Amino acid sequence: MAMNYSAKDEVDGGPPSAPGVTAKNRRPDNTAFKQQRLPAWQPILTAGTVLPTFFIIGLIFIPIGIGIFVTSNNIREIEGNVFMYYGLSNFYQNHRRYVKSRDDSQLNGDSSALHNPSKECEPYRRNEDKPIAPCGAIANSMFNDTLELFLVGNDSDPMPIPLKKKGIAWWTDKNVKFRNPPGEESLEERFQGTTKPVNWLNPVYMLDSDPDNNGFINEDFIVWMRTAALPTFRKLYRLIERKSDLHPTLPAGRYYLNITYNYPVHSFDGRKRMILSTISWMGGKNPFLGIAYITIGSISFLLGVVLLVINHKYRNSSNTADITI
Amino acid sequence: MRREPEAEEPRAPGRARRRRRRREGRARTVRSNLLPPPGPEEPAGRGARHLADNRLKTTKYTLLSFLPKNLFEQFHRLANVYFVFIALLNFVPAVNAFQPGLALAPVLFILAVTAFKDLWEDYSRHRSDHEINHLGCLVFSREEKSFVNRYWKEIRVGDFVRLRCNEIIPADILLLSSSDPDGLCHIETANLDGETNLKRRQVVRGFSELVSEFNPLTFTSVIECEKPNNDLTRFRGCIIHENGKKAGLYKENLLLRGCTIRNTEAVVGIVIYAGHETKALLNNNGPRYKRSRLERQMNCDVLWCVLILVGMALFSAVGHGLWVQRYQEKKALFDVPESDGSSLSPITAAVYSFLTMIIVLQVLIPISLYVSIEIVKVCQVYFINQDVELYDEETDSQLQCRALNITEDLGQIQYIFSDKTGTLTENKMVFRRCTVSGVEYSHDANARRLAMYQEADSEEEEVAPRGATLSQRGSIGSHQGVRVVYRSQSVKSHRRTGSRAEAKRASMLSRHTAFSSPMEKDITPDPKLLEKVSECGRSLATARHQEHPLARLTPELADVFDFFIALTICNTVVVTSPDQPRQKVRVRLEVKSPVKTIEDFLRRFTPSRLAAGCGSVSSLASGKAAHKPGAGLLASLSPDGALLRLEERLGRAPPAITDNGYAGAGGWAPDGAPRELRYEAESPDEAALVYAARAYSCALVDRLPDQVAVELPHLGRLTFELLHTLGFDSIRKRMSVVIRHPLTDEINVYTKGADSVLMDLLLPCSADDTRGRHQKKIQSKTQHFLNLYAVEGLRTLCIAKRVLSKEEYARWLQGHLEAEASLDNREDLLFQSAVRLETGLHLLGATGIEDRLQDGVPETIAKLRQAGLQIWVLTGDKQETAVNIAYACKLLDRDEEVLTLNADSQEACAALLDQCLCYVQARRARSAPEKTPGPVTVGFAPLCPPSAPAAPGAGPSLVVDGRSLAYALERSLEDKFLLLAQQCRSVLCCRSTPLQKSMVVKLVRGKLKAMTLAIGDGANDVSMIQVADVGVGISGQEGMQAVMASDFAVPRFRYLERLLVVHGHWCYSRLAHMVLYFFYKNTMFVGLLFWFQFYCGFSASAMIDQWYLIFFNLLFSSLPQLVTGVLDKDVPADVLMAEPQLYRSGQNMEEYRPRTFWVNMADAAFQSLVCFFLPYLAYHDSDADLFTWGTPITAIALFTFLLHLGIETKTWTWLNWMACGFSILLFFIVALIYNASCATCYPPSNPYWTLQALMGDPVFYLTCLIAPVAALLPRLFFRALQGSLFPTQLQLGRQLAKRSPKKLSTAKEIFAQGHPPGDQDSEHLELGSRSTWGSLPRGCAPGASQPPCSPEAGGERSAADATVPCGDDALLERPSCRVPQTPAPRKPVQEGRPGGAETKTPGPSRAAPLPSIFSLPNFGSFSWISSLSLVSGLGSVLQLPRASLQPDKQDSDFLPGAPQPERDLCSLRGQTVEYF
C-alpha cells in the first residue's frame, strides 16, 4: 500500500489544530476578480462582427496609400534640396563578421582604444605594428570614389554644381558617437602612432581639409560606418542646396558627372550608382509603401464585401444555430 | 541496544563478525539503551549511533550544498542544459552572436527563479521538520531513573518511551506495558491509512503480567526483529528474555509512528525503528510528478521545433558555405578574413555559421515557455481554489489542488472511475428497515424522519463545535487531570485529518461519534417490532430464573431477541462515553486464564478448576480473530453455577448503571439518556446497526476483550462472555462472535454477513416436518425482503445464529487453537477454522441500511455524461445494491439496456463477452426504431420502444461482478472486455477489490490511451486514484488517505462537475491556446531572422538588436499572453454548465492538435514573411542602416503579436488592456532608454539614438501600421469565415451566451424535463432491457451455435445463466423457479405465478448454478420506485401497487402464505434468466 505520509500533515492534524480555531471561515472571497467575473468585452468573430473592421481598414488604408503614392511620385521633380547618393549593390554590409569589425570606442576618440583597438577589428587591427585608425573591415572598405557634378550649360564650359559635404550624417553621430581623439594639437599629431587602413589612400586625418569634417568626424566616413541593412543600398553623398525660391536647384540641362574611380566593385559583382533625389516628408522616393497601402486596403475592402455576402447569406442559419451534438 | 550492520565493527574478530553479518542481513537486534554495553569489543552507545535516530529530515539541501545540488538537479531538465549550452557557445568568438554575458542572462534568470522556488519549498519543509522534531515526549532517562521530557529528535532506538492518551507516537515502538488492565492499547491510524476506527494493540506477551508500573531498568530482554521495511501490515520478530525464553512479536505489538494513542491512559514501549526507518516514513514516497497530456504533446512539438531549428541552421550553413565560396577568391571588400589574413574555407565558415545560427535562432525553442506555463498553472490553481462555487458550506472546505501541474488534464478527461460508497453516496449509514423471522418491519416513521433530515441536513451540520483548545502538553500532569481533559480531547480531535476544514468537520461529527450524525443515530423504532422486543424482555424477565428462559418465547420472539442480541454484540464496536475513560466493569467472570493448549482446555473443563482459575489476565493470541480469553470456563460451569454467577452480576449491575447515570433497567430511553454512549466502529454499517439496536432499548454499553455488556429492557444489563471474535474479511464476507449466553448458558455463534454468502451457510431445513417448512418459508421470505431491500438500494446484511453444544465447541476450539498456533499457513488454517464454525446457521433476519446519495449526484452524473464522459463505477458493494444505486443516480438509465456479465469461469466469461460484443455490434448495425419485434422474439417485447430511441452514442450499460471482472481482466480477454466496455454507456463493476479497481483504470488508460479520472474517498480507492491520470479524493468520511493520494480533493462528488466542465475546460483551453501562441510567437520571430539570412549571405547576422532578441520573449511580449492564459474564458461558466457537451472539445483535443500546431506554424511563417518583406520593400534601396531597419521590424513583430493575441483573446478585461498597453510602453521605454544610454556600448549593434531617429520618421509609423494589419488579415478573415460558416460548438456556446442569456435557463429546463421519471419510462426499461438477450442469439449466435457454456443446449436460456455463479442455488434449486420465455411482453408476469412453475424443465441444468439473483431488468423497473421513495420518504409499500409490477403481485399472493413462498424469488430470477 503506497501511502503518503506527509510530515506537514502530521503537524497540521495534530493537537495544534484546535477546534476552537476552526470557526474560521474558509469561504473564498466573492470578488469579481477571484471569481473570474471581471467585466469583460467579449468579441465574437463572425462575418457580421468582423466585416466593419475590414471596411474600416480599407477605408483608412486606401486614402493613406494614395497620399503616400502621390507624395512619393512628386519627388520626381528636382526641387528644394537635392540629395546626392551613391548606391552600391550586392555589397553585403550586413555580413555578420563585417558588421562587428569596428571599434566604437576608437571612433569615439578614446585614446587608449585609438592605440589599442578592439579585437573585433581583426584582421584590420594593426598594420606593420601600428594600430590602424580607424580599425576594422568597415572602415577599411570605405567608399572612396569622388563624384563631381557639372552642369553643361549652353557655353561649353561646364559649371560645377556646389556639393555640400556637411549635414549628411546624423547629428548624434557627428556630435556624440564620433569624435576625434582629444587634444589641442593638429589632427595629424593626435593620430600620431597610428596607421591608415590598408585600403585607404590617405590617413584618416587627411579625409578633408575642413577640420570640422576631418578625422573620425568626417561625414562621408560616418555615413559609411552606418552599415546598410541590405546588400543593395544607397548612402547620402552630398547635399545640393537650393539657392533661391525662384530657380530650381538643378535646372534642366545637360549634366556631367565626373567620377574619380577608386572603388572596385567587380570583386563582389557589384554595381555603383549615383542617385539624385529630393526627399518629401516621408523620405526618399519609394512608391512601394503607397502601393502596399492601396493594395492592402483594397484587399481588406474586398474581404469585407465577401464577409458581407456571407453574413447576409448565413445570418439566418447562424442566428438559429445551436449547440448540437 | 544495538544493531550491527557489517561495516560497523571492522575490528571485531573476524569470525564473530562474519556470523553476525549473516544474521544481520535479515534482522535487527534491539537492546535497552539503559543496559551497560554487552561486550567489551563494542563500546557503549556506539551501536545506537549508527542507527537512524528519530530526527526527521525531509529537506534536500543544506546551506552549503544548495547551489551545486540544485544546479545539478536543474540540469537534469534537458531544456536547461540546452539553453546553457547555447549561452556558452557565445563564449566562442568564432561563432558568437551576442555578447556572452548577455546571452547568459535569460538562462540565469530562469535558473534563478527555479532555484528560488526550490529553496523556498525546502525551507518550508525544513520548518515543518523542525516543528515535528521538537515535539516533546517522555523518554526514560538512566540518569534520572524516570521519564523525562525530550524532543522527538532525541529519541533513539532502544529508548523507552511513555505515551499518554491522544499523544502521537513518535517512532515505531514495541508495546511493553499499558495502563489497561488487559494490556491493550487503542490507536488511531488515520494518519497512516485514513481509517478512523480504533485499532487494538497488545502488550508483548509476557509483559502483560506486569500490572504494576513497568520498570525499564529491569528490562533485559533482547529484541530481534526484521530490518526496517515499509510494510505497514506486517511485523515479525521475537523477544528473547534473559532466561532464554522466546516470545513472538507481531504487528499487534507494534505502535506505528504517526498514529495516535486513544482510549488508553498511558503506555510504555521500547523504540524499535526511529526516524526515517519507521514504517510510516518508509511509506512516504513523496508526491508523484505527473505530466499532463497537453504537456506531453507540447514536448513533442518542442522536438519539432528543434528539428525546424536545426533545419534552418543547416540551410543557412549550406547557404553561407556557397556564399563564401562565391566571394572568396574575389577577395570581396566586405569579406573579413581571419586574423592571420587567410580567408575562411567555405566549410569552416558553414560550420561556424551553423553554430551561430543555432544561437541566433534559439528563440524558436521557447525558454520562457516552461516558466510561463508554470506561472499560468499556479494562477489557474489559485482561481480554482478560490471558486466560491466549489466551496462546501457544510464542511467549510473548498477544493484543494494538490497537484499543480495537471490542471489542464481536467479538461480532457474521457473516463471517470468512481467509487460508490462515500463518493456517490454520503457514507452515512442509516438503518432503514429490517426483517426478523420472515416478518418485515418497514420502519415508516424512520423513513419519514430521514426525509425530514434530508431537508434539515445543512442546519444540522452547521452546529458550531464546542470550542476548547487542546494541547498535547496539556495532558502532562496529574493523572486526574489527564483523565478529565483527555476525554474531551478525544472527542474533539478524534478524527484528525489534514486540514483545518477537516478538523472542523471532524469535530462536528465526533461530537456524536465516529461516523454517526444524529441522523444515523436517532432511529425511530417500528412500533410493532418495539412491542415485540419489549414483550421479549418482559417474558424473559419473568422467566429468567427458569431452566431455559428462551424456550419460553415463541420461535418468533426468540428470533427477535436473538436478532437484537446479534445486532448489539456481533461487531467490534468499542464503547466509550464522553465523560470518562473507558471503564472496565471490574465485575468479571473470574475464570480467565488463557487457553493455550487443548490439554489446558480439557483440564480446565473439570469443575475443580473452577475455583482455582482466577486472577490472571487473559492475553490475546496474535491472530486476527484472536479473542479466546475466558474460553476456559465453558463446560466447567454447570447451569446452576452460571446462573449463580449471573445472579451475582445482575445483582451488582444496577447500581453501576445508576452510577453511570442510567435510568433503571428497561426504562432507559435512548433519547433521554443524560449520558451518551459513543460507539467507535470499524465501519459505519456496524455503528448503524448498533444504534438501531439501541433504538430498541437493546444497547451495547460495554465491550471488553472478553465480555460484552448489553442493556436490555426489563432485563437490565446482561453480560455476555465473549469467547471468540472472527473478524470480518472480504473473502468470507461475514463476521462472527462466539459468546456464552448468560441466560441460557449456551454457546452461541452470531454471524452477520452478506446475504449471498450467508444464505448458503444456513442449516438445510428438511421439508418434512413443519418446523423445517416454516424455517424454509422464513428463509425465502427473508430472501424476498432482501431482494426488495436491494432494489431499494439498501445495503443488506443477514443475521444468523448457531447454537453450539459444548462438545462441538470443544472440537472446533481444538482445531482453531491449532490453527492459531501454527506458524505457516496460519491465515489459511484460520480461514478454514472460521468456515467450520460458520455453518449450519439459523437465520434470524436481515437488515437494510441506507447509504444515501449525496446531493446532486444524479444531476452531476447526467451532466458529466452529457459532457461525453464515460462513467464507470467500481464498487465493492454487491451487485444488486450497486445496480440500484446506479439507477438512483442515473448512471443506468431507465430506457437503456443493461448487459450483465456474471461468469463463473474463464471460458464462460470469454463466451459471454463474445455474445455481448455480437449483440452490441448487431445493435449498432441496426438502425433505430424498426429494430425488430419479429426477430427478437422469442418472447420478448419489441426492443426499443419508438418513444425512446437510443441515441446514437448511447450503448447499453454493462454490469460486471468481481469474479467476472477478474476473468475479464485476464490478458486474453481484456481486449474484448474493453471493446465491449467502450461501446457501453456506463460500466458498473461490483464486488471489485482495490486491486481490480486499479487494474481496470490501468487497462483503460493503457489500452485506450484515454484520459482517466478516478474519484474515491477511502483507502480502497487509493490505488485507483494513483493509477489514473487525474486522481480526485473526496475529503469525506473515510479519513484522508484518498485525499493524500489524490491530485485534487473535493468536498463532494457534485463539485466534480464544475471542476471538470468549467475549470477543466478553461484550464485546458487556456493552456492549449497559450502553448500554441507561444509556438506561433517564437516561430514568427525566428522567421523574421531567417528571411534576413537570404540578404546577408547567410552569415547569421541579425537585424534585430541582441537585446531585443534576448529580452523580447522574456519582457516585452510575455505579460499579455500570461494574462490571457490565466484569465481568458472562451465560454462563460454558466454556458459550460448548461451545455456540458462543450466539454468534448477538450476530450477531442480540438484546441491543440498536431494539425492545429502546423496550421499555426504555417500562419507564423506567413506572418513573418509579411512582417519581413513589407519593411524590406519599404526600405529597399534606402540609406537605412541595419538597426534602423531592424528596430521597426521588432516593433512590427510586437504589434503583430499583440494583435494576434487580440484575435485569439475571447474576453477582454481591463487586465488584458493593461497588459497590452504595458507591453508596448515597456518596449518603447526600454528601447528609448537603451538607445540613449551609451554612444559606444553594446557592440556590434551600437543602437545609439536609433529609435529616437526613427520616431521622427513617418515611414516607421507607416510600416508599423500596415505590416501587422497585412499579416493578420488572413487570420482574421479566416476566423470570421469559420465563425460564420463552420462555427465550433464552443463558438456557438459563446454566441449563445451573448445573444440570449435567457436561453440558457430554458435550455436547463428542457434538460431537466428530459428524463422525467414515470411509468412509461420504467416500462420501456423493463421491456427494452429484457429483450436484450432474446435478440442476442438471433444477432450473432443462431440456434445451432449456442454458446458452449450454456448447459441447456436447446433452451433459450442464455449462456449467462449457466455461467453465473450463485450462492443461492441451494435455496433456489427447485423446479418452479424458472420462467419460460414467452412471446408476449407481459407474459413473464403471469408465468411467474404458479402456472409458470411447470414449464420449467428440470434437467441437467439443475446442476448448473442459477443466475445471480437479479440480473437486473426487473430491478431496473423497480429502480424508479426506489428513487422515488428516496425522495418521498414513503416506503416502497406505497409505491409498489402503483408500479403494477410483478413483485407486488407476488407479494400479494405471497404474503398470505402461499404454498410456494419461494416462487416470487423464482419469478424474479426467471426474468433475469431471460435476460441473461
Side-chain angles (χ1 to χ4, degrees), chain B residues 1355-1420:
Chain B
E1356 288 111 338
R1357 248 179 90 214
S1358 73
D1361 300 353
T1363 55
V1364 160
C1366 181
D1368 311 281
D1369 46 355
L1371 192 76
L1372 288 174
E1373 203 115 333
R1374 49 191 78 83
S1376 60
C1377 52
R1378 272 291 144 65
V1379 170
Q1381 323 221 324
T1382 49
R1386 281 293 175 192
K1387 266 277 180 72
V1389 176
Q1390 296 136 16
E1391 306 255 3
R1393 314 242 223 123
E1398 285 87 48
T1399 58
K1400 176 64 215 155
T1401 47
S1405 67
R1406 285 287 57 61
L1410 285 174
S1412 78
I1413 315 172
F1414 294 106
S1415 293
L1416 309 174
N1418 344 57
F1419 282 17

Side-chain angles (χ1 to χ4, degrees), chain A residues 1-7 9-15 17-20 22 24-29 33-47 50 53-54 57 61 64 68 85 90-92 94-100 102 104 108 122-124 137 141 170 172 176-177 199 226-235 263-264 267-269 273 281-282 286 288-289 292-293 296 300 303 306-307 310 314 318-319 321-325, chain B residues 56 94 96 131-132 152 192 232 257-258 280-281 283-284 320 323 326-327 330 332-334 336-339 344 356 382-383 386-388 391 393 396 398 468-470 492 496-498 500-501 504 1026 1041 1044 1070 1092 1095-1097 1099-1101 1129 1141 1144 1174 1176-1178 1181-1186 1188-1189 1207 1210-1213 1215 1239-1240 1244 1246 1248-1249 1253 1258-1259 1262 1265-1266 1270 1273 1277 1279-1281 1283-1285 1289 1292-1295 1298-1299 1303:
Chain A
M1 168 177 47
M3 48 151 283
N4 217 334
Y5 174 82
S6 152
D9 286 310
E10 189 175 69
V11 170
D12 241 344
S17 66
T22 57
K24 195 179 159 197
N25 196 343
R26 292 163 59 94
R27 173 189 270 279
D29 297 338
F33 174 70
K34 287 189 177 175
Q35 299 308 316
Q36 306 188 60
R37 279 189 277 101
L38 288 176
W41 174 53
Q42 300 174 16
I44 296 174
L45 304 182
T46 59
V50 168
T53 317
F54 280 84
I57 291 175
F61 275 29
I64 292 182
I68 298 171
Y85 298 92
N90 214 21
F91 190 100
Y92 286 86
N94 55 15
H95 186 279
R96 185 171 64 87
R97 268 176 287 140
Y98 182 85
V99 168
K100 284 199 297 185
R102 64 193 283 161
D104 282 319
N108 197 236
E122 291 286 5
Y124 304 109
S141 60
W170 288 21
T172 48
V176 183
K177 253 172 104 167
N199 289 356
R226 197 161 266 282
T227 51
L230 297 163
T232 299
F233 60 88
R234 63 172 75 169
K235 282 187 186 285
Y263 204 68
S267 68
F268 50 90
D269 301 332
R273 289 169 296 154
W281 54 270
M282 51 155 292
N286 188 348
F288 168 75
L289 216 46
Y293 264 90
I296 300 291
S300 173
L303 293 179
V306 172
L307 288 181
I310 287 170
Y314 286 86
S318 75
N319 261 347
D322 213 337
I323 304 173
T324 49
I325 278 185
Chain B
L56 181 69
N96 77 336
E131 209 169 321
I132 289 170
W152 274 28
L192 291 185
L232 287 174
R257 176 175 174 140
L281 287 180
N283 263 300
N284 184 16
H320 188 60
W323 185 86
R326 177 176 165 199
Y327 291 107
K330 293 180 179 167
L333 271 174
F334 46 79
V336 185
E338 287 290 85
S339 39
L344 276 172
T356 316
Y382 171 80
F383 278 119
Q386 287 298 321
D387 190 346
V388 79
Y391 166 78
E393 198 87 49
D396 190 28
Q398 73 241 41
T469 16
L470 52 99
K492 286 289 146 53
R496 277 190 310 103
T497 43
R500 248 179 305 149
K504 182 183 173 191
Q1026 283 179 331
Q1041 209 185 355
M1044 302 274 259
R1070 287 164 177 175
F1092 180 61
Y1095 299 96
C1096 69
S1099 62
S1101 180
K1129 296 188 288 187
Q1141 58 270 43
R1144 289 172 199 245
L1174 272 175
Y1176 169 78
L1177 292 169
D1181 193 22
S1182 75
D1183 56 349
D1185 71 289
L1186 187 56
T1188 315
W1189 180 65
I1207 292 177
K1210 274 85 182 185
T1211 48
W1212 286 85
T1213 64
L1215 278 164
T1240 57
N1246 197 6
Y1248 189 70
W1249 222 248
V1259 178
L1262 287 173
L1265 178 63
I1266 191 171
L1273 269 189
F1277 181 71
R1279 286 262 174 236
L1281 268 194
S1284 279
L1285 298 183
Q1289 297 296 314
L1292 286 177
R1294 201 149 55 232
Q1295 290 177 15
K1298 190 154 191 182
R1299 205 171 291 142
K1303 206 173 166 193

Side-chain angles (χ1 to χ4, degrees), chain B residues 374-417:
Chain B
E374 298 274 307
I375 294 173
V376 165
K377 281 183 182 175
V378 166
C379 295
Q380 285 178 342
V381 164
Y382 171 80
F383 278 119
I384 294 176
N385 278 337
Q386 287 298 321
D387 190 346
V388 79
E389 297 198 26
L390 294 178
Y391 166 78
D392 191 47
E393 198 87 49
E394 281 172 33
T395 53
D396 190 28
S397 60
Q398 73 241 41
L399 185 132
Q400 305 170 37
C401 297
R402 297 170 48 84
L404 296 185
N405 44 6
I406 55 167
T407 46
E408 69 276 16
D409 271 355
L410 289 175
Q412 296 191 280
I413 303 296
Q414 287 158 308
Y415 287 83
I416 293 183
F417 298 90

Side-chain angles (χ1 to χ4, degrees), chain B residues 60-137:
Chain B
K60 274 198 256 175
Y61 313 111
T62 63
L63 271 183
L64 269 181
S65 75
F66 174 73
L67 207 60
K69 210 167 165 187
N70 184 260
L71 280 180
F72 179 74
E73 277 177 15
Q74 289 207 41
F75 286 136
H76 271 111
R77 217 180 281 167
L78 204 62
N80 285 339
V81 179
Y82 166 79
F83 289 118
V84 168
F85 165 73
I86 289 202
L88 292 180
L89 258 189
N90 267 303
F91 286 91
V92 181
V95 295
N96 77 336
F98 310 128
Q99 280 175 301
L102 191 63
L104 265 179
V107 189
L108 289 182
F109 177 75
I110 302 290
L111 290 181
V113 166
T114 316
F116 182 77
K117 193 193 84 192
D118 290 347
L119 187 68
W120 187 76
E121 277 174 3
D122 209 49
Y123 177 66
S124 40
R125 270 197 297 268
H126 168 77
R127 266 196 330 208
S128 92
D129 285 355
H130 182 85
E131 209 169 321
I132 289 170
N133 281 334
H134 287 78
L135 288 174
C137 70

